[in-house]
């Protein structure tokens, strides 16, 4: 949505135990010629374990999300609607495990890969729900949305794919044998 805007995270002590003052989330609005720190934005976490993933809404580059690894309770997923000026904690009741990856639809629906699988939160929901769809409870290292399919790379179990979440149908009539899994 904006070819000039980039987001990045890093620092010289980029691990779970490094000095927080040297870790940063930054934004460039001029193709990386200059950078602005986003740590001073209202709602940005005071403790940065490790920023593991950044996602930007494909239709609006002001909407940015990031995830954190580590074991800091309730510090897993953050969202900004204004390019990092203000942040909202979207961690909800996620388990206290590292979040490794995030993928976001243009509608703002979020999928995160954790050390125990995938979780989903629609843009209108108040909290996360497990989104396993047959995936074992294993670390998910990366997520990618292509069309209406979510792809998840895993640690040791290959790449998995599933349809994106959809609303519940009001009536299901089964007229023949069914195969596979569909969760509502």
């Amino acid at each position: 949505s904006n070819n000039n805007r980039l987001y990045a995270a890093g620092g010289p002590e980029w691990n779970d135990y490094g000095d927080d003052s040297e870790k940063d989330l930054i934004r460039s609005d001029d193709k990386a010629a200059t950078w602005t720190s986003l740590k001073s934005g209202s709602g940005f976490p005071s403790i940065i374990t490790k920023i593991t993933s950044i996602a930007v809404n494909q239709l609006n580059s002001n909407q940015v999300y990031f995830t954190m690894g580590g074991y800091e309770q309730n510090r897993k997923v953050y969202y900004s609607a204004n390019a990092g000026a203000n942040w909202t904690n979207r961690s909800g009741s996620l388990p206290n495990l590292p979040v490794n990856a995030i993928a976001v639809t243009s509608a703002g629906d979020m999928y995160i890969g954790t050390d125990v699988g995938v979780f989903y939160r629609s843009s209108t929901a108040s909290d996360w729900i497990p989104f396993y769809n047959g995936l074992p409870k294993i670390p998910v290292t990366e997520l990618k949305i292509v069309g209406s399919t979510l792809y998840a790379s895993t640690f040791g179990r290959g790449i998995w794919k599933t349809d994106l979440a959809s609303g519940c149908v009001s009536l299901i009539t089964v007229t023949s044998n069914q195969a596979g899994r569909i969760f509502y």
Side-chain angles (χ1 to χ4, degrees):
S1 63
N2 181 347
N3 292 334
N4 294 316
R5 179 165 287 163
L6 301 168
Y7 293 91
E13 294 287 333
W14 200 244
N15 59 48
D16 292 340
Y17 306 105
D19 183 357
D20 282 356
S21 67
E22 297 185 10
K23 299 175 186 177
D24 208 351
L25 177 65
I26 54 180
R27 182 193 75 234
S28 174
D29 294 324
D30 54 12
K31 295 184 180 178
T34 60
W35 292 91
T36 302
S37 174
L38 303 179
K39 284 174 42 173
S40 62
S42 171
F44 196 88
S46 58
I47 297 173
I48 306 170
T49 51
K50 179 178 8 181
I51 296 174
T52 54
S53 187
I54 301 170
V56 180
N57 187 312
Q58 62 186 345
L59 300 178
N60 183 348
S61 68
N62 288 324
Q63 295 179 354
V64 61
Y65 307 75
F66 74 88
T67 61
M68 289 204 295
Y71 297 94
E72 289 291 327
Q73 184 70 37
N74 198 35
R75 294 182 181 169
K76 305 299 176 190
V77 182
Y78 289 84
Y79 164 72
S80 175
N82 53 14
N86 302 95
W87 294 94
T88 303
N89 186 337
R90 294 282 174 95
S91 301
S93 63
L94 286 170
N96 191 12
L97 295 168
V99 176
N100 306 314
I102 186 168
V104 180
T105 68
S106 59
D109 296 341
M110 298 175 280
Y111 297 84
I112 57 168
T114 72
D115 276 5
V116 294
V118 176
F119 287 81
Y120 166 74
R121 182 174 178 172
S122 79
S123 61
T124 59
S126 61
D127 210 351
W128 297 89
I129 58 171
F131 192 73
Y132 301 130
N133 287 6
L135 177 71
K137 291 183 179 180
I138 57 173
V140 173
T141 57
E142 189 61 61
L143 295 170
K144 177 79 173 170
I145 296 172
V146 179
S148 62
T149 303
L150 176 70
Y151 293 88
S153 72
T154 67
F155 186 75
R157 297 292 298 260
I159 296 175
W160 292 64
K161 73 175 186 171
T162 187
D163 293 336
L164 295 179
S166 60
C168 294
V169 294
S170 59
L171 177 65
I172 298 175
T173 304
V174 179
T175 59
S176 63
N177 289 337
Q178 301 295 306
R181 297 179 184 189
I182 300 174
F183 293 89
Y184 295 100

